[in-house]
Amino acid sequence: MEEGTGDSENLRAGIVAGNSSECGQQPVVEKCETIHVAIVCAGYNASRDVVTLVKSVLFHRRNPLHFHLIADSIAEQILATLFQTWMVPAVRVDFYNADELKSEVSWIPNKHYSGIYGLMKLVLTKTLPANLERVIVLDTDITFATDIAELWAVFHKFKGQQVLGLVENQSDWYLGNLWKNHRPWPALGRGYNTGVILLLLDKLRKMKWEQMWRLTAERELMGMLSTSLADQDIFNAVIKQNPFLVYQLPCFWNVQLSDHTRSEQCYRDVSDLKVIHWNSPKKLRVKNKHVEFFRNLYLTFLEYDGNLLRRELFGCPSETAVNSENLQKQLSELDEDDLCYEFRRERFTVHRTHLYFLHYEFEPAADNTDVTLVAQLSMDRLQMLEAICKHWEGPISLALYLSDAEAQQFLRYAQGSEVLMSRHNVGYHIVYKEGQFYPVNLLRNVAMKHISTPYVFLSDIDFLPMYGLYEYLRKSVIQLDLANTKKAMIVPAFETLRYRLSFPKSKAELLSMLDMGTLFTFRYHVWTKGHAPTNFAKWRTATMPYRVEWEADFEPYVVVRRDCPEYDRRFVGFGWNKVAHIMELDAQEYEFIVLPNAYMIHMPHAPSFDITKFRSNKQYRICLKTLKEEFQQDMSRRYGFAALKYLTAENNS
């Protein structure tokens, strides 16, 4: 009986024997030995999938890990940021440019949904470092239910010329009887599935693997014309001719779930399972008597709080330790008895960040006038997204502050929305929750940094821009020569207290609504100073842009060049976060110009958690005042004499 296809008693015996090897009969993985894992990852969706796989590996692991990611430029940008901000100890990540490898495999016609990237596992001997001897290769749709070190230990069982560790295919695909005229590639019996591969790289190189698979592919393509299952077809064709290359892994190392598999025959008990492979685009809808168990295992890691995986591996040196040591040093310099310690700590918190969580596609206009709307939000403001998309057709960059579970809720919400799915020019960047405060300015910085247009409209999620604002701003950029001057164009802000508002189609309509009391100038009754310098009385009759002077507590919504200063991270939660930014623009000698035919309207909503804290917690207000004073001192240090007016303005306000 072949291993992996035998009856369940044989399988049980195999598992018991396998487990007993941990007692020292077989060579085991050394305590701090690094386990190398290679994954091909391209595009927005794959970089989401790979996170779930990585979480499942990190959850069980007790060894340092080195991920080798063969990624296109999109996945590399996303995953490089994710791993840098995740800061998991004893994890190293290297990237290999998948786009440079395309020419190695582009000559092979492939019908599989994975496209050209589905063939790149063939070139790993050439791509990975020459001194790397062995690697575990994984598809992105894999979930681990055990420590990956157990799989790494299987390399010790390879004998003779065995260089590939693979699990037998659990579908009938290669038997060739699925439908009339079904002609699969040649394979040994049922063939092997390449979702999990152990590659003995040094031996493969000596065997001239590169020539071996190329000659086989060229020969078979003469009759087959294209691959149906990408790299898997070619691996199987090579193995059919050279069966001695394979060490057959027990089937629990790659339990394949798709509609044509017979994976239930591979295990007796779900506790025997080690790796689940969702090898079908249909993912969680496959037919299997244990599908609920598999689904829940997958969802556990999908929604698992990634911050909990930042645990140290005691006794093993870590390259990531340098970053965390710097962080610890910064934190140790803070006074824990300071009543504002939690506020100060927030500045140094590294939030795990997943850029471009959904597909993004946008080419800025060639005339260099393009403007991206920038905003940030949490789960309770999600309902604003569709309305903003209807009001603003230009590019949008959003930072969303979510937990892992909320990120999945957001994904389901977005994928179920026709409005959001029809828009590819919205960049959704997830910043994962951590700490006590809403890091409003960090979120703004993330959204502002990841744009591809020369200008940004710094807005808030609870404002709806007037219809046509995008085009109007692009014209104003030219009219006011923003490219060559330091200007901040102000979009006057209004508000309504009505949840159902007939949105004004023109300035004239807006003015009559102001006169009727349906609309108000923004915050006029609670925080007049925030927008008073906009000079709404002048705006009513203005037909040309006009300049206004900075005043204390001014916080208008502005359009500026993308190279404007960042927001100051010390301001978290509610209060002074925009005021400080506008003050810095003024210190850098930006001119404030009010646009005569632009407006935005604040829509009503329940007060945020942070404004409630600000109102109810005296210590919160004291700390905000302290941070404000420290910010102003920093300003006078940075900008010298010019910044004195901020101190005097503050004293008079």
Side-chain angles (χ1 to χ4, degrees), residues 223-341:
M224 295 302 299
L225 304 180
S226 72
T227 61
S228 293
L229 300 182
D231 67 88
Q232 189 165 296
D233 284 340
I234 296 170
F235 270 102
N236 275 295
V238 173
I239 290 163
K240 171 98 187 215
Q241 290 210 292
N242 310 280
F244 55 85
L245 296 176
V246 178
Y247 173 85
Q248 184 166 319
L249 295 168
C251 70
F252 49 66
W253 282 118
N254 182 356
V255 176
Q256 300 142 39
L257 295 183
S258 71
D259 282 347
H260 300 297
T261 59
R262 45 184 203 105
S263 50
E264 289 112 321
Q265 294 174 31
C266 141
Y267 57 90
R268 178 161 118 181
D269 201 301
V270 284
S271 62
D272 301 338
L273 300 173
K274 295 185 185 294
V275 171
I276 319 297
H277 182 188
W278 303 89
N279 57 335
S280 152
K282 283 165 65 174
K283 288 267 187 199
L284 306 180
R285 297 198 301 277
V286 295
K287 297 178 181 73
N288 176 296
K289 65 182 176 189
H290 295 124
V291 75
E292 273 310 300
F293 171 83
F294 294 128
R295 213 172 147 269
N296 290 335
L297 179 76
Y298 173 73
L299 292 175
T300 298
F301 291 115
L302 194 67
E303 303 192 349
Y304 189 82
D305 182 352
N307 299 333
L308 301 177
L309 297 166
R310 286 173 169 164
R311 52 178 189 257
E312 290 286 342
L313 288 188
F314 289 106
C316 295
S318 168
E319 291 187 24
T320 16
V322 180
N323 292 336
S324 51
E325 273 171 29
N326 290 341
L327 187 61
Q328 291 310 319
K329 185 174 178 291
Q330 288 170 324
L331 292 174
S332 66
E333 287 166 5
L334 299 177
D335 176 5
E336 289 198 33
D337 297 329
D338 177 355
L339 291 171
C340 302
Y341 172 76

Side-chain angles (χ1 to χ4, degrees), residues 603-615:
M603 306 308 285
H605 54 73
S608 69
F609 183 51
D610 289 278
I611 198 167
T612 312
K613 270 201 291 197
F614 173 81
R615 287 171 180 164

Side-chain angles (χ1 to χ4, degrees), residues 319-605:
E319 291 187 24
T320 16
V322 180
N323 292 336
S324 51
E325 273 171 29
N326 290 341
L327 187 61
Q328 291 310 319
K329 185 174 178 291
Q330 288 170 324
L331 292 174
S332 66
E333 287 166 5
L334 299 177
D335 176 5
E336 289 198 33
D337 297 329
D338 177 355
L339 291 171
C340 302
Y341 172 76
E342 289 299 337
F343 280 87
R344 298 185 193 288
R345 181 192 168 90
E346 184 57 50
R347 256 179 106 165
F348 304 112
T349 302
V350 179
H351 288 268
R352 197 166 29 109
T353 302
H354 189 135
L355 304 175
Y356 300 107
F357 197 67
L358 294 177
H359 184 80
Y360 178 78
E361 225 172 283
F362 176 71
E363 232 10 91
D367 64 3
N368 281 333
T369 64
D370 237 317
V371 184
T372 302
L373 186 152
V374 166
Q376 40 68 40
L377 67 151
S378 52
M379 204 65 186
D380 58 342
R381 298 282 184 269
L382 218 51
Q383 72 283 357
M384 289 297 298
L385 292 182
E386 287 192 349
I388 285 178
C389 284
K390 287 174 184 171
H391 279 248
W392 175 273
E393 65 275 24
I396 302 175
S397 181
L398 299 171
L400 297 91
Y401 192 55
L402 304 173
S403 66
D404 292 76
E406 284 172 341
Q408 294 309 313
Q409 280 177 274
F410 159 68
L411 181 62
R412 289 191 290 274
Y413 167 78
Q415 288 175 336
S417 159
E418 282 179 35
V419 175
L420 301 188
M421 281 297 98
S422 65
R423 289 286 292 268
H424 299 298
N425 63 351
V426 182
Y428 299 97
H429 312 298
I430 310 282
V431 175
Y432 285 101
K433 284 184 173 177
E434 195 174 349
Q436 293 187 27
F437 297 101
Y438 185 75
V440 59
N441 280 354
L442 165 72
L443 295 170
R444 287 187 174 123
N445 289 340
V446 167
M448 195 159 69
K449 189 176 173 189
H450 297 100
I451 60 158
S452 53
T453 61
Y455 304 99
V456 284
F457 171 29
L458 303 174
S459 186
D460 268 337
I461 201 69
D462 39 17
F463 276 89
L464 288 182
M466 71 177 202
Y467 292 110
L469 183 61
Y470 171 58
E471 286 304 332
Y472 176 57
L473 291 181
R474 290 179 60 180
K475 289 191 180 99
S476 303
V477 158
I478 298 169
Q479 186 192 354
L480 293 166
D481 192 22
L482 245 67
N484 303 305
T485 56
K486 267 189 167 178
K487 290 193 178 98
M489 303 193 303
I490 293 172
V491 177
F494 299 87
E495 68 179 332
T496 178
L497 305 177
R498 301 184 179 190
Y499 278 86
R500 295 177 73 84
L501 174 78
S502 171
F503 201 90
K505 304 280 192 299
S506 63
K507 178 174 177 176
E509 206 177 311
L510 178 131
L511 290 174
S512 76
M513 290 169 84
L514 267 178
D515 294 337
M516 283 159 47
T518 318
L519 286 181
F520 307 94
T521 55
F522 184 51
R523 291 269 167 89
Y524 85 104
H525 49 311
V526 284
W527 182 245
T528 319
K529 292 193 294 186
H531 294 264
T534 301
N535 194 344
F536 290 101
K538 182 168 183 175
W539 183 81
R540 292 180 76 104
T541 56
T543 54
M544 296 295 289
Y546 59 90
R547 184 175 175 176
V548 296
E549 294 298 325
W550 175 88
E551 291 175 29
D553 299 320
F554 193 26
E555 50 173 8
Y557 292 94
V558 295
V559 177
V560 284
R561 288 202 308 246
R562 65 178 295 171
D563 62 359
C564 76
E566 285 198 330
Y567 286 83
D568 193 295
R569 269 198 69 182
R570 85 187 82 198
F571 297 106
V572 291
F574 175 79
W576 246 69
N577 45 68
K578 281 197 303 291
V579 172
H581 189 245
I582 294 296
M583 189 184 276
E584 184 128 20
L585 290 180
D586 183 62
Q588 292 196 9
E589 298 178 348
Y590 277 73
E591 278 183 70
F592 295 105
I593 308 288
V594 181
L595 297 175
N597 293 311
Y599 56 88
M600 58 200 293
I601 299 177
H602 180 265
M603 306 308 285
H605 54 73

